[in-house]
């Protein structure tokens, strides 16, 4: 028994990276800052050729990404100042605002169409993507719903219907754009939170089956999606057509090998690899920094997800269900989006327009993801305040 007590104490000391006398998760904050800076460096390098060709300015996208980074830090700062109680009160308003924006982007003349997809609303100096806000809004809405209907979701066998109807409404609007990748992200967030809440196991089997069936139907019913899927299976069969992006991405990783070619020495970013600074920025990182660079980013993102899940677990242990579900929802969101983006670049998954969290170029993604990390830091701060208050009560 003594052995297990020592092992448990050692595990807890290892997982508690941040000293307990601090009022915020210092490890989470540093992980956030480091990933932001790596993203700025990667985007600056990957975007030089396209910036030169389009705007005669090699650092055009680097400057814009630096501006997005500053804006993200401002949003992050203000998010940390807002109590999670406010977010719980705003859950319905955020959801309705997300639906409004998803409808607004579909209106010709308001939504901007790029490569056949209408996903962006032009703003002052960047294009806002409502799909990114929808992910945060749905996570917040579901966290509140599962907090209010906790016993119902755990006891009723058909409890998953209502949250998936809500998710389906957002997913339908996203598919009209079309944006299958973001729809799958919403599905994963909903599915993961149902698992954390403790819904009946039979529902998960049914949802997996329904999800696979709908995914197959959506792929087969669209010639564009079907070409992407078949191109993913063998990209070198048509390297100048459906497999163009993926074949060049794989060549970038191949050139990088273990140590990489060095910063700025990527060849594939020289107009060979489309979207080199956005969807395929990890391929450029793989070419310039090799396996070690990709591994470092995976470890950093993995540690960030680990901290998010740890914050969620601590919240649930303190009976703070909204905070716990919100933290776990963000963790599922960050993990799945990073997993899909890297898997896509490596040819393990079909090509999808999902950015790598905190790394890829894109103002909407960077700002919304920074708000989410700010929420995690705020939840952790409130948990520490509660722990101090409980300790004082015990001492009294």
């Amino acid at each position: 028994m003594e052995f297990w007590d020592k092992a448990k104490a050692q595990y807890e000391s290892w997982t508690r990276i941040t000293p307990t006398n601090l009022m915020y998760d210092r490890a989470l904050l540093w992980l956030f800052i480091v990933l932001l800076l790596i993203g700025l460096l990667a985007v600056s390098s990957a975007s030089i050729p396209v910036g030169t060709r389009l705007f005669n300015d090699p650092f055009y996208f680097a400057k814009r990404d630096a501006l997005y980074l500053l804006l993200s830090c401002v949003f992050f700062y203000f998010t940390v100042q807002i109590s999670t109680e406010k977010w719980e009160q705003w859950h319905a308003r955020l959801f309705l605002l997300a639906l409004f924006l998803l409808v607004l982007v579909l209106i010709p003349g308001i939504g901007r169409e790029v490569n056949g997809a209408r996903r962006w609303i032009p703003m002052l100096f960047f294009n806002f993507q409502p799909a990114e806000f929808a992910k945060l809004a749905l996570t917040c809405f579901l966290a509140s719903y599962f907090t209010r209907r906790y016993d119902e979701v755990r006891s009723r066998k058909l409890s998953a219907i209502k949250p998936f109807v809500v998710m389906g409404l957002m997913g339908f609007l996203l598919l009209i754009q079309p944006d299958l990748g973001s729809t799958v992200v919403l599905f994963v967030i909903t599915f993961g939170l149902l698992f954390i809440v403790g819904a009946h196991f039979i529902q998960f089997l049914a949802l997996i089956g329904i999800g696979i069936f709908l995914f197959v139907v959506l792929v087969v019913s669209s010639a564009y999606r079907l070409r992407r899927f078949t191109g993913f299976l063998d990209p070198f069969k048509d390297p100048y057509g459906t497999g163009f992006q993926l074949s060049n991405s794989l060549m970038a990783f191949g050139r990088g090998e273990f140590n990489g070619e060095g910063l700025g020495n990527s060849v594939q970013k020289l107009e060979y690899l489309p979207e080199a600074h956005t969807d395929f920025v990890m391929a450029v990182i793989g070419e310039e920094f090799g396996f070690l660079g990709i591994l470092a980013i995976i470890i950093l993102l993995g540690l960030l997800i680990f901290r998010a899940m740890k914050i969620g677990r601590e919240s649930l242990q303190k009976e703070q269900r909204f905070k716990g579900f919100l933290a776990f929802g963000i963790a599922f969101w960050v993990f799945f989006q990073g997993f899909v983006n890297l898997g896509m670049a490596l040819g393990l998954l079909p090509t999808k327009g999902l950015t790598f969290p905190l790394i890829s170029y894109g103002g909407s993604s960077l700002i919304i993801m920074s708000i989410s990390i700010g929420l995690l830091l705020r939840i952790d701060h409130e948990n520490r305040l509660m722990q101090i208050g409980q300790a004082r009560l015990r001492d009294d």
Side-chain angles (χ1 to χ4, degrees):
M1 198 66 176
E2 184 179 353
F3 169 78
W4 290 112
D5 290 339
K6 289 182 178 179
K8 182 180 179 181
Q10 187 174 5
Y11 169 76
E12 290 178 348
S13 65
W14 181 78
T15 56
R16 192 175 61 247
I17 301 175
T18 304
T20 54
N21 60 335
L22 290 177
M23 295 310 299
Y24 66 96
D25 192 327
R26 188 170 62 185
L28 177 64
L29 180 61
W30 277 111
L31 288 167
F32 169 66
I33 293 172
V34 170
L35 284 169
L36 281 181
L37 294 177
I38 290 175
L40 178 61
L41 180 66
V43 168
S44 300
S45 175
S47 64
I48 288 176
V50 67
T52 303
R53 177 173 62 86
L54 295 177
F55 304 100
N56 199 29
D57 182 359
F59 298 106
Y60 175 83
F61 290 101
K63 294 172 186 175
R64 292 177 68 86
D65 197 55
L67 178 60
Y68 297 154
L69 190 149
L70 290 176
L71 279 174
S72 299
C73 291
V74 171
F75 278 97
F76 173 83
Y77 172 79
F78 283 108
T79 301
V80 172
Q81 310 303 315
I82 303 172
S83 68
T84 52
E85 184 180 352
K86 293 290 185 182
W87 288 91
E88 189 170 8
Q89 293 173 359
W90 296 341
H91 74 277
R93 299 174 192 174
L94 292 172
F95 180 76
L96 292 174
L97 178 59
L99 288 181
F100 172 74
L101 292 172
L102 289 175
V103 172
L104 191 66
V105 75
L106 298 174
I107 301 175
I110 296 179
R112 182 187 177 192
E113 186 173 337
V114 179
N115 296 328
R118 196 183 299 274
R119 303 177 186 174
W120 299 269
I121 299 176
M123 300 188 74
L124 292 176
F125 46 84
F126 77 105
N127 295 315
F128 178 71
Q129 190 172 3
E132 297 298 329
F133 179 72
K135 297 168 190 175
L136 176 61
L138 180 70
T139 305
C140 189
F141 181 88
L142 290 178
S144 176
Y145 176 84
F146 289 137
T147 300
R148 290 180 282 110
R149 304 293 182 90
Y150 181 73
D151 294 328
E152 176 186 337
V153 174
R154 289 175 60 89
S155 58
R156 292 183 58 183
K157 292 184 179 179
L158 298 178
S159 58
I161 293 179
K162 291 180 181 178
F164 268 90
V165 167
V166 172
M167 186 278 298
L169 180 59
M170 276 189 169
F172 173 74
L173 293 172
L174 285 169
L175 289 173
I176 296 176
Q177 295 181 5
D179 190 352
L180 179 59
S182 294
T183 306
V184 176
V185 173
L186 297 185
F187 180 89
V188 169
I189 293 172
T190 309
F191 185 88
L193 284 178
L194 275 170
F195 179 80
I196 294 298
V197 173
H200 281 273
F201 181 71
I202 191 67
Q203 293 188 105
F204 293 106
L205 296 178
L207 290 171
I208 290 173
I210 293 172
I212 293 174
F213 172 76
L214 291 176
F215 180 81
V216 172
V217 169
L218 289 169
V219 170
V220 174
S221 62
S222 170
Y224 169 72
R225 296 191 189 111
L226 188 60
R227 284 196 303 270
R228 274 198 165 189
F229 191 80
T230 54
F232 138 75
L233 294 175
D234 188 3
F236 292 99
K237 184 178 181 180
D238 186 13
Y240 298 104
T242 57
F244 184 72
Q245 284 182 307
L246 185 52
S247 58
N248 280 281
S249 176
L250 292 175
M251 284 189 280
F253 282 109
R255 290 193 74 250
E257 296 185 344
F258 193 77
N259 296 320
E261 295 289 324
L263 179 63
N265 292 328
S266 168
V267 171
Q268 294 305 119
K269 71 182 181 184
L270 302 177
E271 302 296 335
Y272 295 106
L273 178 63
E275 312 296 339
H277 60 300
T278 55
D279 297 347
F280 285 88
V281 69
M282 293 299 288
V284 176
I285 293 174
E287 186 176 2
E288 295 188 345
F289 296 96
F291 170 78
L292 290 178
I294 296 295
L295 180 62
I297 293 176
I298 291 174
I299 291 173
L300 289 171
L301 191 71
L303 287 173
L304 188 145
I305 295 166
F306 174 80
R307 299 303 290 179
M309 298 184 74
K310 180 176 180 292
I311 290 169
R313 184 193 65 180
E314 290 174 350
S315 299
L316 294 179
Q317 288 174 344
K318 298 178 186 298
E319 297 296 322
Q320 301 295 305
R321 288 174 183 160
F322 174 77
K323 299 176 186 177
F325 297 149
L326 186 58
F328 272 109
I330 294 171
F332 294 141
W333 168 15
V334 174
F335 165 77
F336 184 74
Q337 194 155 315
F339 171 77
V340 170
N341 180 275
L342 184 57
M344 169 195 71
L346 288 168
L348 302 176
L349 295 171
T351 304
K352 283 284 122 203
L354 292 175
T355 58
F356 195 90
L358 303 174
I359 300 291
S360 298
Y361 174 83
S364 301
S365 175
L366 202 59
I367 290 172
I368 298 299
M369 194 60 68
S370 298
I371 291 174
S372 302
I373 303 302
L375 270 169
L376 290 174
L377 205 67
R378 178 69 195 193
I379 293 170
D380 178 76
H381 173 68
E382 292 181 2
N383 286 344
R384 291 168 191 256
L385 288 177
M386 183 178 295
Q387 186 173 346
I388 290 173
Q390 291 173 348
R392 287 177 179 173
L393 286 175
R394 286 195 300 267
D395 294 339
D396 293 342

CSV table of all heavy atoms in Angstrom, one decimal, residues 90-102 133-134 137-138 140-142 165-167 169-170:
chain,number,residue,atom,x,y,z
A,90,TRP,N,-23.8,33.4,-21.3
A,90,TRP,CA,-23.9,33.8,-22.7
A,90,TRP,C,-24.0,32.7,-23.7
A,90,TRP,O,-24.0,32.9,-24.9
A,90,TRP,CB,-22.6,34.6,-23.1
A,90,TRP,CG,-22.4,35.9,-22.3
A,90,TRP,CD1,-23.4,36.6,-21.7
A,90,TRP,CD2,-21.2,36.6,-22.2
A,90,TRP,NE1,-22.8,37.7,-21.1
A,90,TRP,CE2,-21.5,37.7,-21.4
A,90,TRP,CE3,-19.9,36.4,-22.6
A,90,TRP,CZ2,-20.5,38.6,-21.0
A,90,TRP,CZ3,-18.9,37.3,-22.2
A,90,TRP,CH2,-19.2,38.4,-21.5
A,91,HIS,N,-24.1,31.4,-23.3
A,91,HIS,CA,-24.0,30.3,-24.2
A,91,HIS,C,-25.0,30.3,-25.3
A,91,HIS,O,-24.7,30.0,-26.4
A,91,HIS,CB,-24.1,29.0,-23.4
A,91,HIS,CG,-25.5,28.7,-22.9
A,91,HIS,ND1,-26.1,29.2,-21.8
A,91,HIS,CD2,-26.5,27.9,-23.5
A,91,HIS,CE1,-27.3,28.8,-21.6
A,91,HIS,NE2,-27.6,28.0,-22.6
A,92,ALA,N,-26.3,30.7,-25.0
A,92,ALA,CA,-27.3,30.7,-26.0
A,92,ALA,C,-27.1,31.9,-27.0
A,92,ALA,O,-27.3,31.7,-28.2
A,92,ALA,CB,-28.7,30.9,-25.3
A,93,ARG,N,-26.6,33.0,-26.5
A,93,ARG,CA,-26.4,34.2,-27.4
A,93,ARG,C,-25.2,33.8,-28.3
A,93,ARG,O,-25.3,34.2,-29.5
A,93,ARG,CB,-26.0,35.4,-26.5
A,93,ARG,CG,-27.1,35.8,-25.6
A,93,ARG,CD,-26.7,37.0,-24.7
A,93,ARG,NE,-27.6,37.2,-23.6
A,93,ARG,CZ,-27.4,38.1,-22.6
A,93,ARG,NH1,-26.2,38.8,-22.6
A,93,ARG,NH2,-28.3,38.3,-21.7
A,94,LEU,N,-24.2,33.2,-27.8
A,94,LEU,CA,-23.1,32.8,-28.7
A,94,LEU,C,-23.5,31.8,-29.7
A,94,LEU,O,-23.1,32.0,-30.9
A,94,LEU,CB,-22.0,32.2,-27.8
A,94,LEU,CG,-21.2,33.1,-26.8
A,94,LEU,CD1,-20.3,32.3,-25.9
A,94,LEU,CD2,-20.4,34.2,-27.6
A,95,PHE,N,-24.4,30.9,-29.4
A,95,PHE,CA,-24.9,29.9,-30.3
A,95,PHE,C,-25.7,30.6,-31.4
A,95,PHE,O,-25.5,30.3,-32.6
A,95,PHE,CB,-25.7,28.8,-29.6
A,95,PHE,CG,-26.2,27.8,-30.5
A,95,PHE,CD1,-25.4,26.8,-31.0
A,95,PHE,CD2,-27.6,27.8,-30.9
A,95,PHE,CE1,-26.0,25.8,-31.9
A,95,PHE,CE2,-28.1,26.9,-31.7
A,95,PHE,CZ,-27.3,25.9,-32.2
A,96,LEU,N,-26.6,31.5,-31.0
A,96,LEU,CA,-27.4,32.2,-32.0
A,96,LEU,C,-26.6,33.1,-32.9
A,96,LEU,O,-26.9,33.2,-34.1
A,96,LEU,CB,-28.5,33.0,-31.3
A,96,LEU,CG,-29.6,32.2,-30.5
A,96,LEU,CD1,-30.5,33.1,-29.7
A,96,LEU,CD2,-30.4,31.4,-31.5
A,97,LEU,N,-25.6,33.7,-32.3
A,97,LEU,CA,-24.7,34.6,-33.1
A,97,LEU,C,-23.9,33.7,-34.1
A,97,LEU,O,-23.8,34.2,-35.3
A,97,LEU,CB,-23.7,35.3,-32.2
A,97,LEU,CG,-22.6,36.2,-32.9
A,97,LEU,CD1,-23.3,37.3,-33.7
A,97,LEU,CD2,-21.7,36.8,-31.8
A,98,ALA,N,-23.5,32.5,-33.7
A,98,ALA,CA,-22.8,31.7,-34.7
A,98,ALA,C,-23.7,31.3,-35.8
A,98,ALA,O,-23.3,31.2,-37.0
A,98,ALA,CB,-22.3,30.4,-33.9
A,99,LEU,N,-25.0,30.9,-35.5
A,99,LEU,CA,-25.9,30.6,-36.5
A,99,LEU,C,-26.2,31.7,-37.5
A,99,LEU,O,-26.2,31.6,-38.7
A,99,LEU,CB,-27.3,30.1,-35.9
A,99,LEU,CG,-27.3,28.8,-35.2
A,99,LEU,CD1,-28.7,28.5,-34.7
A,99,LEU,CD2,-26.9,27.7,-36.2
A,100,PHE,N,-26.3,32.9,-36.9
A,100,PHE,CA,-26.5,34.1,-37.7
A,100,PHE,C,-25.3,34.3,-38.7
A,100,PHE,O,-25.5,34.6,-39.9
A,100,PHE,CB,-26.7,35.3,-36.8
A,100,PHE,CG,-26.7,36.6,-37.6
A,100,PHE,CD1,-27.8,37.0,-38.3
A,100,PHE,CD2,-25.6,37.5,-37.5
A,100,PHE,CE1,-27.8,38.2,-39.0
A,100,PHE,CE2,-25.6,38.7,-38.2
A,100,PHE,CZ,-26.8,39.1,-39.0
A,101,LEU,N,-24.1,34.2,-38.2
A,101,LEU,CA,-22.9,34.4,-39.0
A,101,LEU,C,-22.8,33.3,-40.1
A,101,LEU,O,-22.4,33.6,-41.3
A,101,LEU,CB,-21.7,34.4,-38.2
A,101,LEU,CG,-21.5,35.6,-37.2
A,101,LEU,CD1,-20.3,35.4,-36.3
A,101,LEU,CD2,-21.3,36.9,-38.0
A,102,LEU,N,-23.2,32.1,-39.8
A,102,LEU,CA,-23.2,31.0,-40.7
A,102,LEU,C,-24.2,31.2,-41.9
A,102,LEU,O,-24.0,30.7,-43.0
A,102,LEU,CB,-23.4,29.6,-40.0
A,102,LEU,CG,-22.3,29.1,-39.1
A,102,LEU,CD1,-22.7,27.9,-38.4
A,102,LEU,CD2,-21.0,28.9,-39.9
A,133,PHE,N,-15.6,30.5,-35.3
A,133,PHE,CA,-16.4,30.9,-34.1
A,133,PHE,C,-17.4,29.9,-33.8
A,133,PHE,O,-17.8,29.7,-32.6
A,133,PHE,CB,-17.0,32.2,-34.5
A,133,PHE,CG,-17.9,32.8,-33.4
A,133,PHE,CD1,-17.4,33.3,-32.2
A,133,PHE,CD2,-19.3,32.8,-33.5
A,133,PHE,CE1,-18.2,33.8,-31.2
A,133,PHE,CE2,-20.1,33.2,-32.5
A,133,PHE,CZ,-19.5,33.8,-31.3
A,134,ALA,N,-18.0,29.2,-34.8
A,134,ALA,CA,-19.0,28.2,-34.5
A,134,ALA,C,-18.5,27.0,-33.6
A,134,ALA,O,-19.2,26.5,-32.8
A,134,ALA,CB,-19.5,27.6,-35.8
A,137,ALA,N,-18.5,28.4,-30.1
A,137,ALA,CA,-19.9,28.6,-29.7
A,137,ALA,C,-20.6,27.3,-29.3
A,137,ALA,O,-21.3,27.2,-28.3
A,137,ALA,CB,-20.7,29.4,-30.7
A,138,LEU,N,-20.3,26.3,-30.2
A,138,LEU,CA,-20.9,25.0,-29.9
A,138,LEU,C,-20.4,24.4,-28.7
A,138,LEU,O,-21.1,23.8,-27.9
A,138,LEU,CB,-20.7,24.1,-31.1
A,138,LEU,CG,-21.3,22.7,-30.9
A,138,LEU,CD1,-22.9,22.7,-31.0
A,138,LEU,CD2,-20.9,21.7,-32.0
A,140,CYS,N,-19.1,25.9,-26.0
A,140,CYS,CA,-19.7,26.6,-24.9
A,140,CYS,C,-21.2,26.2,-24.7
A,140,CYS,O,-21.6,26.0,-23.5
A,140,CYS,CB,-19.6,28.1,-25.1
A,140,CYS,SG,-20.0,29.1,-23.7
A,141,PHE,N,-21.9,26.1,-25.7
A,141,PHE,CA,-23.4,25.7,-25.6
A,141,PHE,C,-23.5,24.3,-25.1
A,141,PHE,O,-24.3,24.1,-24.2
A,141,PHE,CB,-24.0,25.8,-27.0
A,141,PHE,CG,-25.5,25.5,-27.0
A,141,PHE,CD1,-26.4,26.5,-26.8
A,141,PHE,CD2,-25.9,24.2,-27.2
A,141,PHE,CE1,-27.8,26.2,-26.8
A,141,PHE,CE2,-27.3,23.9,-27.2
A,141,PHE,CZ,-28.2,24.9,-27.0
A,142,LEU,N,-22.7,23.4,-25.6
A,142,LEU,CA,-22.8,22.0,-25.1
A,142,LEU,C,-22.4,21.8,-23.7
A,142,LEU,O,-23.0,21.1,-22.9
A,142,LEU,CB,-22.0,21.1,-26.0
A,142,LEU,CG,-22.6,20.8,-27.4
A,142,LEU,CD1,-21.6,20.0,-28.2
A,142,LEU,CD2,-23.9,20.2,-27.4
A,165,VAL,N,-28.9,17.1,-32.7
A,165,VAL,CA,-29.7,18.0,-33.5
A,165,VAL,C,-29.2,19.4,-33.6
A,165,VAL,O,-29.1,20.0,-34.7
A,165,VAL,CB,-31.2,18.0,-33.0
A,165,VAL,CG1,-32.0,19.1,-33.6
A,165,VAL,CG2,-31.8,16.7,-33.2
A,166,VAL,N,-28.7,19.9,-32.4
A,166,VAL,CA,-28.1,21.2,-32.4
A,166,VAL,C,-26.8,21.3,-33.2
A,166,VAL,O,-26.6,22.2,-34.0
A,166,VAL,CB,-27.7,21.6,-30.9
A,166,VAL,CG1,-26.9,22.9,-30.9
A,166,VAL,CG2,-29.0,21.8,-30.1
A,167,MET,N,-26.0,20.2,-33.1
A,167,MET,CA,-24.8,20.1,-33.9
A,167,MET,C,-25.1,20.0,-35.4
A,167,MET,O,-24.5,20.6,-36.2
A,167,MET,CB,-23.9,19.0,-33.4
A,167,MET,CG,-22.6,18.8,-34.1
A,167,MET,SD,-22.6,18.0,-35.7
A,167,MET,CE,-23.2,16.4,-35.3
A,169,LEU,N,-27.6,21.2,-37.0
A,169,LEU,CA,-28.1,22.4,-37.6
A,169,LEU,C,-26.9,23.3,-38.0
A,169,LEU,O,-26.8,23.8,-39.1
A,169,LEU,CB,-28.9,23.2,-36.5
A,169,LEU,CG,-29.4,24.6,-37.0
A,169,LEU,CD1,-30.3,24.5,-38.2
A,169,LEU,CD2,-30.2,25.3,-35.8
A,170,MET,N,-25.8,23.3,-37.2
A,170,MET,CA,-24.6,24.0,-37.5
A,170,MET,C,-23.9,23.3,-38.7
A,170,MET,O,-23.4,23.9,-39.6
A,170,MET,CB,-23.7,24.1,-36.3
A,170,MET,CG,-23.9,25.3,-35.4
A,170,MET,SD,-22.6,25.4,-34.2
A,170,MET,CE,-23.0,27.0,-33.5
